[in-house]
Structures are given as structure tokens and as C-alpha cells.
Amino acid sequence: MSQIRKALALTFLSTNGATAVQFAVTLVLARLLSPEEIGIFSITAVAVSIAQLFRDFGVASYLQREADLTRQKVATAFGVLLFSSWVIALLVFLVSGPLARFYGEAGVQDVMEVLALGFVFIPFGAVTHNLLTRDYRAKEQAYVRVAGTSAYAITSIGLAMMGHGYMSMAWANLVNIIVTALAYWPFRPATAAVWPSLKGWRSVVNFGAAATLGNSANAINNALPDIVLGKISGPHDVGLLSRGTAITNLLNQVIGPTVSYAVLPLLSRVHHSGQALSGHLAKASSYITGLMWPALVGTALFAEPLIRFLYGPQWVAAAEPVQWLALMLALMNPFTFHGTAFIALGRPMLAVWPTLAMLLARGVAIFWVYDGTLVSFALALCLAAVGVWPIQLWMQSAIIGLRAQPFVRALVPSAIVTLLCSVSALAVQALTQGHADGVILMSAFVLVGLTWLLSVWCCRHPLRQELEMIFAKWPWLARRLKIDQPSASS
């Protein structure tokens, strides 16, 4: 367990360093590019993200979940990944023209052709990345992340300053992929294969087909808002929605990679050992909601000063849909790890059904609610999230064994913490009216942050256990809080 915690700590630091750099790049690009230019890239990127899941073909999940992973199995996974990636690269290139004509934007084709090249190089780093994840070798991954992130930042800002517009992000994405693949080469584990193979490909493909269907449905679900909005409204609104979504998703960008890093390998090991997943899943849901719900409340209440401060006044319209986007994410947070649990159980196809239900609900809600405004579009997405709750609850009870009552009971501490943080945020909002955006945001960060810390501690939220492990590192603080010193195995 100590190895996992060390890997998570290092992953947290490295991914947050990368996230900070990427976020800084986003802020710079928001001042160098227009909403329409960012919208063109966003439309293309979300379309390509769907192809990305077919490109992976479940190889990532296979490499992390397979109980007896041999060098031959890795070579086969590499062969399957190489074949699927190059086929997808060709298809993306061929589809770029028709998609550009569909949206009436020639820039979509230019961006898509460059992104298609990325599929050619991705397999050379992807296999090593998943093998390192399987063994929790976060240190090596951190080195690679620094190299790739630096390459992306330098390329995107440099090209944007030279006037290359939305293409600066496309070329930066390709440079990032190539640099990452090269950086992974020295860290290949002993099981990594130099040459691809298709021997025994059926075992990889059989698992991958189910995993790919679930992952691709999820990718389509995530891409649907930008794809639909791009068609019915245009790239300008897509650019605004992307900034509003980015603001709402800030904390998830910080903690998401760290939390997800260990979830699939951990749940797979729990399942292989014969233990039930229900208790682990309930605890994971409590953790993620305890972190995300209070942050989403703060984001919803301070959306306008946050966007104005980070992106500039030209993006202030992006604050309009944030409240509904925040509520949508809050409704989805408790079920964050359900798809991962289905994969750990060896039944990845099950993740498809709630995603398909969400796709259908979103289509119906957009048709019913959308009136041409971003707020109505975000409201439709929120209503769709409400509609899928019954299906999620039924599946987690029937398949995972986590019934509604213990699940809701696991969420109660998070709800209490969120309520207390909401009161604190409203107080800050009332007391800082008329002040500069920086003052408002700093006050909210300090006061709401302290409220969260005290609420988690005093309400004995499950996250308190993690706080105790952090505080135990300082003996003087541990003594005052009456925290036991950690044992060597913790």
C-alpha cells in the first residue's frame, strides 16, 4: 500500500505541474486567439477524441487488468494497437474534408489532418505508459510528462505569437505526442516488446472490443455538446462553452489524473483477490464528491469573476452556462468510477448502457429545452444527467452489489461538507461585493478552503483519514490533534 501512496503522491505532483503549465498556456492562448479560433479547434478535437477511443481498442485496459502479463502478450497488444492506430489515422485523414464541409469551416480540415498524424506515433509511447501505470512507476512517467508538456507549451505559444491561429494548437499536439513517445523509450520495462506481434490477437481483441464500445460511447457522450452546438450555433458558442466547461472542471483537472491513476489496477487486484467491490466503490464515491461538490459550488457562485480574472473580459459570456454545468457535474460525480469497476469485473460492456442512456437523454433534452442560448443548452445537459440517475442506481445495485441505501449514506458526509462550504461561499460573495476580482477570488479560496478543511475534520468525512496521514508527518501537529503516528507499512 505504501508503494501505491508514494506513486499517487508523485503522480499528483507531476500531473498538477503539467496541469498548471497547460492551464497557463490556456490563459495565454485565450489572449492570443479569438473564441471562434478556439471553437474551430475544439470542434475538431472532440470529433477526433471519438476516433482516439477506437484507436486504443481497449489495449490500455487490457494491459492494466491482465492478471498474467507476458512479453508475448505485450507484443500482441502492441501489434493490435499499431494496426488500429494506423487504420484510424487514415480514416481521420479521409473524413477531414467531409467534416469541414458539414460545419462550413475550412479550418476544421486543416486541424484534423495534423491531428491524424498523431495517431501514427501514439502507439510507440502508449504501451510503455500503461506498463508503467500497472507497476505504479510514477517517477519515470513524471519525467516523460515534463518533456511532453514543455514541448506542447513552447510550440503552442510560439506558433500562436507568430500568427498561426488555431493551427498552433494542432501542431503543438503533434509535437507533444512525438516527444512523449521518444521520452518513454529509455523507461521500457522488461516485459515491453520492441517488435509488434499479432500472435494470440483474439484475446486482446475480444477484451478490447467490449472495452472500446464502452469507452467510445463515453467519448461520444463527452463530445456531443461541442459537436451539436457547433452545428446548430457555430464555433463562437463552442469556444464559450469550452471555456465555461474548463472553469467548471478545474479541480477535476487537478485531482482526476491522480485518482484515476490507481483506480483500475487497484479494483482489478481487489476483484482478483475475491473481495467485493461495493465497499471500495462507496468509499471512492465519498472521496470524489467530498472534493468535487464543494469546489463546484464555489465555481458556480464565482464564475464571472473567475472567468474575467483568468481569461479576460472578452470571455465573460462563458460564465452564463456555468451554474448548470456545475450542477450537471455534481450529479455525475457519484458514478465516476462505475465504468472502471465494470472493467475490473471483466465486464466492460456494461459501461455502455448508462452512457447510451445519457446520449439519448441529452438528445431529447436539447431538442426540448434549447432556445438558441448557451444557458438553455447547459440546462438541457443538466436535465439529462438527472434522467440517468435511476439507471445508474439500478446497475450499481444489480452488478456491483452496492445498494441505494449504503450508497446514499456514503454521500451524506459530502453533502454536509458541501452545505457548510456553500454558506461560507455565500458569505464571501455578500462581503466582497464591488471589490476587484482578485480580492473576491482570494477571499473565497481562503475562507471556503478553511471551511472545507474544518468541515471534513469535524464531520468525520472519510477524507479525514487522508488528512490525518498528512498531518501525521508533523509530530507537533499530530500530538495536538491526537493523531497516531503512521506505522512503517502504512
Side-chain angles (χ1 to χ4, degrees):
M1 193 67 180
S2 60
Q3 179 191 1
I4 297 177
R5 290 188 181 277
K6 289 177 181 177
L8 287 176
L10 186 54
T11 301
F12 180 80
L13 294 174
S14 64
T15 54
N16 282 334
T19 299
V21 173
Q22 291 168 353
F23 185 62
V25 170
T26 301
L27 300 184
V28 175
L29 292 178
R31 286 162 171 78
L32 294 173
L33 305 177
S34 68
E36 184 174 357
E37 288 178 309
I38 290 180
I40 290 173
F41 179 80
S42 297
I43 290 171
T44 313
V46 296
V48 172
S49 70
I50 300 172
Q52 175 79 6
L53 271 298
F54 288 99
R55 187 275 312 166
D56 176 79
F57 211 72
V59 169
S61 299
Y62 172 82
L63 289 173
Q64 293 181 40
R65 182 191 175 277
E66 178 63 26
D68 180 26
L69 194 64
T70 64
R71 187 179 179 87
Q72 177 57 53
K73 290 181 178 179
V74 174
T76 302
F78 182 31
V80 171
L81 184 60
L82 203 64
F83 178 80
S84 62
S85 296
W86 288 5
V87 169
I88 291 297
L90 178 61
L91 292 176
V92 169
F93 187 86
L94 295 175
V95 167
S96 61
L99 191 67
R101 289 190 291 274
F102 176 77
Y103 284 110
E105 293 287 346
V108 170
Q109 181 172 0
D110 297 332
V111 173
M112 204 164 186
E113 288 177 350
V114 174
L115 295 182
L117 287 174
F119 289 96
V120 175
F121 300 100
I122 285 176
F124 297 98
V127 171
T128 301
H129 169 78
N130 288 295
L131 291 175
L132 294 178
T133 300
R134 177 187 175 96
D135 296 332
Y136 297 110
R137 292 174 59 183
K139 183 178 180 180
E140 292 88 341
Q141 290 175 309
Y143 291 141
V144 175
R145 195 172 286 115
V146 169
T149 303
S150 301
Y152 177 82
I154 294 170
T155 305
S156 60
I157 293 177
L159 291 178
M161 292 180 68
M162 293 167 63
H164 289 278
Y166 49 79
M167 290 303 297
S168 60
M169 292 180 284
W171 287 113
N173 181 75
L174 178 60
V175 170
N176 179 23
I177 291 171
I178 294 174
V179 170
T180 298
L182 292 173
Y184 266 125
W185 184 261
F187 302 124
R188 291 176 303 117
T191 53
V194 177
W195 299 104
S197 170
L198 291 177
K199 180 181 179 181
W201 60 270
R202 293 182 185 276
S203 60
V204 179
V205 170
N206 287 340
F207 180 86
T212 298
L213 186 57
N215 291 337
S216 59
N218 190 53
I220 293 171
N221 181 51
N222 292 335
L224 184 69
D226 283 354
I227 291 175
V228 172
L229 189 62
K231 180 60 178 176
I232 63 179
S233 184
H236 182 271
D237 275 2
V238 174
L240 293 175
L241 183 70
S242 70
R243 294 307 92 194
T245 303
I247 285 293
T248 311
N249 220 23
L250 271 178
L251 182 61
N252 190 48
Q253 292 174 2
V254 173
I255 66 171
T258 305
V259 175
S260 300
Y261 181 82
V263 171
L264 179 54
L266 179 60
L267 291 181
S268 296
R269 292 178 184 181
V270 169
H271 175 62
H272 289 318
S273 67
Q275 301 179 51
L277 296 185
S278 55
H280 295 274
L281 197 61
K283 187 175 183 180
S285 298
S286 180
Y287 271 44
I288 197 70
T289 53
L291 290 165
M292 289 297 300
W293 283 358
L296 290 170
V297 166
T299 302
L301 290 175
F302 299 101
E304 189 169 321
L306 191 58
I307 287 178
R308 212 168 31 231
F309 181 78
L310 293 175
Y311 298 123
Q314 72 272 24
W315 290 94
V316 72
E320 295 176 358
V322 166
Q323 284 76 20
W324 291 116
L325 292 174
L327 181 57
M328 175 195 72
L329 287 179
L331 290 166
M332 295 167 63
N333 280 150
F335 307 107
T336 298
F337 303 116
H338 282 51
T340 307
F342 295 144
I343 293 175
L345 290 170
R347 304 175 68 182
M349 275 288 293
L350 293 174
V352 174
W353 302 113
T355 306
L356 291 178
M358 176 69 83
L359 277 168
L360 178 61
R362 282 183 164 185
V364 172
I366 291 171
F367 178 79
W368 178 37
V369 174
Y370 182 62
D371 61 5
T373 64
L374 274 178
V375 173
S376 65
F377 192 84
L379 171 59
L381 299 180
C382 185
L383 291 175
V386 175
V388 178
W389 256 68
I391 296 174
Q392 295 276 27
L393 289 173
W394 177 81
M395 289 192 69
Q396 76 171 17
S397 175
I399 309 301
I400 303 173
L402 178 56
R403 302 194 180 280
Q405 186 174 357
F407 177 67
V408 172
R409 190 162 55 242
L411 300 180
V412 168
S414 296
I416 295 173
V417 170
T418 303
L419 178 61
L420 295 172
C421 288
S422 301
V423 173
S424 176
L426 288 170
V428 171
Q429 193 177 56
L431 293 172
T432 57
Q433 283 186 357
H435 287 73
D437 292 336
V439 174
I440 295 173
L441 296 175
M442 182 58 68
S443 301
F445 179 78
V446 172
L447 295 179
V448 178
L450 286 173
T451 302
W452 178 85
L453 195 63
L454 291 172
S455 301
V456 167
W457 190 269
C458 297
C459 298
R460 296 190 172 275
H461 190 282
L463 283 168
R464 173 170 168 162
Q465 179 183 356
E466 304 302 319
L467 293 178
E468 288 178 348
M469 295 190 66
I470 295 173
F471 295 156
K473 304 295 183 181
W474 292 279
W476 62 272
L477 183 59
R479 287 194 298 271
R480 284 165 175 77
L481 296 175
K482 298 180 180 179
I483 299 174
D484 294 332
Q485 295 298 302
S487 62
S489 62
S490 63

